[in-house]
Amino acid sequence: MAAATFDYSAVGFLVLDTLCHPAEEMPPPGGAIFVNKLRMTPSGTAGGTAMICALLGLTGQLVTEVGMDDAGDFLVNKLQQYGVSTSLISRNKDGVQTSCSMLPIPSSGDRVAFFCPGTSATFQIPPDKYEAVLDAKIIHLGGTGLLAKFDGPPSLELVRRAKELGRTTVFDLIFATAETVPLVQPLLPYLDFFVPSIVEAASLAGVEGSRDASAISQIFKDRGVKNVVLTMDKDGVFVNPEHGEPFSIPAHDIKVVDTTGCGDSFTAGVIVGISKGWDLNKTARFANAVAAQVASGLGSDGNGSIVSIEKTLAFMDSTPLTNRSDS
């Protein structure tokens, strides 16, 4: 296996989130509703994951595209502040705006969004950049289904070349639909870790609405994925590993402020565990704790809740779990 400069490359979807909380209803026409907090954060299935990995001390790079606009400037500058290498973030010169979301977050913490795809639909990797993109031990692809120009053969080329170099591949997506299935299916034999939500996995498996984590995860194992790690919302996580028996971990018993970015941060926790050489049980427990910390604050960065690996390990060991589990 060729040596690598970075711990991870996160490839794909980056979005600028603008969030307000609490937002229980939309204002009347011409009116306004006061909220306690409004903030902007980098987010997305690649961008949010890269940010949390950096906050947890890994070295890594984000591979994506933003517009030549204020939103793009904000994202690049903020990610640099967090320690993410942005040298492989391209800037769209054709007037396409940066991907942006507006998220009114109610007191329940459930996420709803207004979304402008923008540059998520124009992102591509130029042929002469693949060597730099693959200069990492772990290659994470996030956002299939939203990456109009990178979905399909270009994504397959990325994970195929990653495995040729002996890299570890991690994959997550967002907004899984029937149209996403043919985009994901060819990738599966090249994936070491598939980390969707149970809702996304059920949709891709053709059993939409099911929460039978054991059966759903086995579908993806049978299609070539080595390790399937399903986030189960309030029920924690279900893991169907390459070696050994499947297992469940309940969610942490916390007050949820905002679920935005929980899946992306969970994936970051998985990447941290892989990079540290932890076994899959410790890795899943750690990822579960990362996601819980993010859910405790407003925005994909947890609003200051993510400090270090050591603090997260302490949170993992000291914060009680719920009584829920999915076995």
Side-chain angles (χ1 to χ4, degrees), residues 139-151:
I139 307 300
H140 167 56
L141 172 60
T144 296
L146 291 178
L147 309 174
K149 288 194 174 181
F150 193 70
D151 286 340

Side-chain angles (χ1 to χ4, degrees), residues 180-238:
T180 317
V181 174
L183 301 174
V184 173
Q185 185 77 17
L187 307 178
L188 299 177
Y190 299 94
L191 302 182
D192 294 305
F193 292 86
F194 182 29
V195 196
S197 71
I198 184 63
V199 174
E200 292 160 347
S203 180
L204 290 173
V207 290
E208 191 164 357
S210 172
R211 292 184 66 85
D212 187 343
S214 179
I216 291 169
S217 63
Q218 192 59 46
I219 290 171
F220 296 103
K221 291 283 294 292
D222 293 342
R223 294 175 182 174
V225 178
K226 290 183 179 178
N227 300 277
V228 180
V229 185
L230 302 179
T231 56
M232 303 289 297
D233 307 315
K234 295 177 181 178
D235 293 326
V237 56
F238 181 89

Side-chain angles (χ1 to χ4, degrees), residues 234-251:
K234 295 177 181 178
D235 293 326
V237 56
F238 181 89
V239 181
N240 193 337
E242 180 180 13
H243 304 294
E245 295 298 316
F247 61 91
S248 298
I249 300 170

Side-chain angles (χ1 to χ4, degrees), residues 9 61 130-136 139 158 161-162 165 167:
S9 287
Q61 54 187 355
Y130 266 89
E131 183 176 354
V133 171
L134 294 168
D135 188 19
I139 307 300
L158 174 71
R161 292 178 65 168
L165 289 172
R167 306 311 192 206

Side-chain angles (χ1 to χ4, degrees), residues 13-17 41-45 47-48 75 98-101 115-116:
F13 179 49
L14 168 68
V15 61
L16 174 60
D17 281 353
T41 67
S43 192
T45 332
L75 287 172
T98 298
S99 299
C100 291
S101 291
F115 175 55
C116 177

